[in-house]
Amino acid sequence: ARIMHVLFYHDIQDAICTLNTLQTNASALEQVRRERGNPQFQLVAMRSFLERAGLVVEDLDNLNIIHVTGTKGKGSTCAFTEQILRSYRFRTGFYSSPHLVEVRERIRINGQPIGKELFTKYFWQIYGRLDETKEAHSGSMPAYFRFLTILAFHVFLQEKVDLAVVEVGIGGAYDCTNIIKKPWVCGVSSLGIDHTQILGDTIEKIAWQKGGIFKPEVPAFTVKQPEGSMAVLKQRASEMECPLWVCPELEDYQTDCGPLQLGLAGQHQRSNASLALQLSHTWLQRRRLQGTWRTLPSLHGPGVPQATPFTPSPIMTKGLADTVWAGRTQTLKNGEVTYFLDGAHTTRSMQACVSWFQEAAVRCERNASGPVARVLVFNATGERDSAAMLKLLVSCEFDFAVFCPNITEAIASCNADQQNFNVSVENMLRRCLDNERSWRRHHGAGDCPPGRRGPLLIRDAGLSPAPGRGAEALVFPCILSALQWAAQGRDPVLLSRDTDKREAPVKPSVAAKAALLREVREIHVLVTGSLHLVGGALKHLDPSSCSK
């Protein structure tokens, strides 16, 4: 049995390592170059890859899909929606991105990542079919996300789900998930500026891309949007003859048990929950009425009509309260260290993160038995405006700011799930140094508002910072070393993982800077700026995140 286990584990690692080659293989890079000037070709190529994998677009109609796009909150909206419909005992499929700890998280059945055995079996089925046909197609293989999208559709069909909740990757119009022709309902969460090189540099251009998932006579819902983006969504819906509604406020839903309770923290989750209620309610209507829709709205008048705030069933109410979505406004307490994890990576989502953290941290500090220190662990990737995000974070009054790349630990051989070959280590570290300099500039220019505590919570204990020190900023080579420094041996989970043998010792000068952290009663750590960073942190902080 032991030999079989070793062989099986080797198989899943082989699958993941083979999957990772699709991040950088020459044919995938050629696809990117070819499609940059002709985005419509992405969907043509996707159809070809799907057929080579043994599927046809019409097969996807059997998945009764809920298709969701947006800039901020689309993953949380999907999580609420999936939980509600699973609470009705439907067999659910859920495709999301990116993953936090293991790639299998992207493809879920009944809320759980598919098991290692199923992932391995279905991976090699799809990869084998594509590999066998590549010579007849100029050696082409799908890139990483495109392959996973095909794999998800294959898994959902083979596992005979009642519905699939599908989160768009980037944009909408030319995203490879948009090969879907007949979803049951579509949703658009809050829009903002992100992925500007791909989607455009204005909110209107981005809204045009997002509205590309609308389909003729398929109901669609959006949360309230800025005026310019709402006008574009309305125009796109009208052009495609797609009925579009805007969701009501969450407090407008009538309940018999008081205000609706959400499993996800933060005020910004309220609009996501309202969107999820409309998506699940519409899906249930179609399921029960076998294709009969509510009266379609007219999009010829001013504005977008508001959807009716109905009375959620007890099952819906419970679904909202039971929703869990790791790495988004998540709080995790390990001994004397409390971690606040949020994958905010745009300016708007960071505003929401700051609001949530300040409220949650103050609540925890009230219950602390002594002085508390705050530590920021931050990284941002790609074209994100990290300077703008860091400027927002200054208001949280951190005692230390720690920057590290999205490298889980120094020894990467056991982290195939979290390897990224598209960015060099040198570039990642350079970005960290840039972030550190931005932080120092922002922090040096900022003064504490009247009536707020100074930069060190621990002053109440009679401990003073070095003269002129301000908030310390440090750069570490990986996520594990950053967390170890922030926790200072006070996180029992980190201590139990026997990580000291894998990490280089910290320089005495760096260790000395943490003297204050060793003397406070509790340490509060906010991990934010990147979902990949949050995922790497969860791998070390929460053993249950490494699913079986």
Side-chain angles (χ1 to χ4, degrees):
R2 185 177 179 182
I3 293 173
M4 288 298 293
H5 175 76
V6 171
L7 289 173
F8 169 68
Y9 183 74
H10 181 69
D11 282 345
I12 181 109
Q13 288 301 100
D14 275 353
I16 293 169
C17 289
T18 302
L19 172 65
N20 285 344
T21 66
L22 299 178
Q23 295 183 40
T24 54
N25 71 73
S27 64
L29 294 176
E30 176 58 31
Q31 288 171 34
V32 172
R33 284 191 292 269
R34 185 170 61 247
E35 294 165 5
R36 189 167 289 159
N38 184 17
Q40 294 92 339
F41 186 77
Q42 295 181 42
L43 297 180
V44 175
M46 182 64 179
R47 180 186 290 268
S48 173
F49 285 125
L50 193 74
E51 292 173 354
R52 283 170 54 190
L55 305 174
V56 293
V57 172
E58 289 70 26
D59 292 338
L60 309 184
D61 297 344
N62 298 320
L63 294 177
N64 310 330
I65 289 170
I66 299 172
H67 201 193
V68 181
T69 189
T71 305
K72 180 167 68 78
K74 65 182 187 291
S76 298
T77 297
C78 289
F80 279 127
T81 304
E82 186 276 335
Q83 178 67 62
I84 289 171
L85 292 171
R86 177 157 43 97
S87 298
Y88 276 94
R89 299 188 180 277
F90 290 111
R91 182 170 173 81
T92 62
F94 181 8
Y95 178 55
S96 64
S97 61
H99 61 276
L100 293 178
V101 179
E102 299 185 22
V103 70
R104 296 180 292 112
E105 298 166 25
R106 296 182 183 226
I107 305 172
R108 296 172 182 259
I109 302 291
N110 284 338
Q112 295 300 312
I114 59 172
K116 292 179 179 179
E117 186 174 358
L118 278 183
F119 180 88
T120 304
K121 180 178 81 170
Y122 290 133
F123 174 88
W124 290 117
Q125 283 179 4
I126 295 300
Y127 188 88
R129 293 170 188 173
L130 290 164
D131 189 59
E132 289 169 2
T133 56
K134 70 179 182 182
E135 294 307 318
H137 294 82
S138 305
S140 65
M141 290 288 284
Y144 187 88
F145 182 76
R146 191 172 284 170
F147 179 92
L148 285 171
T149 304
I150 295 169
L151 179 61
F153 290 147
H154 177 64
V155 170
F156 296 154
L157 288 165
Q158 292 297 311
E159 292 296 306
K160 296 179 170 54
V161 299
D162 295 313
L163 70 132
V165 180
V166 177
E167 178 189 358
V168 167
I170 295 176
Y174 305 121
D175 185 75
C176 64
T177 65
N178 205 32
I179 197 170
I180 300 163
K181 294 299 181 188
K182 295 181 180 179
W184 276 23
V185 61
C186 297
V188 183
S189 67
S190 179
L191 298 183
I193 303 296
D194 196 16
H195 300 294
T196 53
Q197 291 183 350
I198 300 172
L199 305 180
D201 57 1
T202 68
I203 193 71
E204 289 80 11
K205 290 178 182 177
I206 290 171
W208 188 93
Q209 293 279 353
K210 305 292 184 181
I213 71 166
F214 295 156
K215 303 294 187 299
E217 299 183 4
V218 173
F221 297 87
T222 179
V223 302
K224 290 182 178 178
Q225 307 285 2
E227 185 177 346
S229 51
M230 186 67 88
V232 174
L233 291 178
K234 178 186 176 184
Q235 179 185 356
R236 291 283 269 165
S238 179
E239 291 170 352
M240 297 186 187
E241 298 183 348
C242 163
L244 176 66
W245 290 268
V246 62
C247 297
E249 300 291 342
L250 192 62
E251 54 266 27
D252 292 340
Y253 294 86
Q254 302 298 314
T255 66
D256 299 325
C257 53
L260 290 167
Q261 301 299 312
L262 306 183
L264 304 183
Q267 284 295 312
H268 60 288
Q269 295 292 357
R270 298 178 67 79
S271 62
N272 299 330
S274 178
L275 178 54
L277 284 172
Q278 294 293 332
L279 294 174
S280 55
H281 182 61
T282 301
W283 190 93
L284 288 167
Q285 279 192 318
R286 175 159 182 180
R287 175 82 176 196
R288 290 166 178 164
L289 304 177
Q290 297 182 347
T292 302
W293 300 111
R294 65 182 80 179
T295 303
L296 301 184
S298 170
L299 292 176
H300 299 297
V304 176
Q306 180 172 295
T308 304
F310 56 88
T311 300
S313 70
I315 294 176
M316 287 181 167
T317 301
K318 185 175 186 302
L320 290 177
D322 289 348
T323 300
V324 175
W325 193 225
R328 288 81 170 177
T329 60
Q330 179 181 1
T331 303
L332 185 65
K333 185 171 176 59
N334 290 351
E336 297 170 342
V337 186
T338 301
Y339 300 93
F340 301 83
L341 303 111
D342 189 72
H345 54 273
T346 68
T347 304
R348 284 194 67 193
S349 60
M350 189 59 71
Q351 288 171 335
C353 172
V354 166
S355 176
W356 161 73
F357 172 74
Q358 288 178 328
E359 180 180 328
V362 167
R363 189 166 54 247
C364 290
E365 285 159 12
R366 287 198 199 103
N367 298 324
S369 56
V372 178
R374 290 182 181 180
V375 181
L376 169 66
V377 177
F378 180 90
N379 190 38
T381 60
E383 62 195 51
R384 270 82 188 213
D385 190 348
S386 54
M389 288 191 281
L390 289 169
K391 186 175 183 179
L392 293 169
L393 287 161
V394 168
S395 66
C396 295
E397 301 172 352
F398 292 100
D399 302 309
F400 299 91
V402 175
F403 302 93
C404 63
N406 292 344
I407 299 173
T408 311
E409 54 195 290
I411 300 174
S413 59
C414 55
N415 292 300
D417 285 273
Q418 295 180 325
Q419 288 178 338
N420 181 352
F421 299 117
N422 293 322
V423 184
S424 70
V425 174
E426 180 183 4
N427 286 339
M428 286 191 279
L429 289 172
R430 185 182 298 117
R431 182 69 178 268
C432 291
L433 293 170
D434 290 342
N435 290 337
E436 182 202 22
R437 283 190 287 271
S438 290
W439 177 260
R440 290 186 186 279
R441 284 195 299 271
H442 289 317
H443 199 275
D447 295 320
C448 290
R452 299 290 297 278
R453 64 179 178 85
L456 283 172
L457 276 166
I458 54 177
R459 280 189 179 142
D460 294 338
L463 302 168
S464 299
R469 179 185 67 83
E472 287 281 6
L474 303 96
V475 176
F476 287 89
C478 68
I479 296 169
L480 178 57
S481 59
L483 294 173
Q484 287 177 321
W485 186 88
Q488 287 299 304
R490 302 173 68 176
D491 178 343
V493 175
L494 277 179
L495 287 174
S496 69
R497 295 179 76 85
D498 192 28
T499 54
D500 56 320
K501 297 178 182 177
R502 288 183 273 157
E503 293 302 314
V506 174
K507 292 180 180 179
S509 60
V510 176
K513 291 181 179 180
L516 297 170
L517 288 177
R518 291 191 289 271
E519 300 196 36
V520 295
R521 180 69 66 180
E522 293 184 14
I523 302 170
H524 290 174
V525 182
L526 173 63
V527 183
T528 191
S530 163
L531 274 170
H532 299 285
L533 172 70
V534 168
L538 281 172
K539 179 181 185 295
H540 298 301
L541 302 175
D542 182 9
S544 68
S545 66
C546 301
S547 51
K548 297 178 181 179

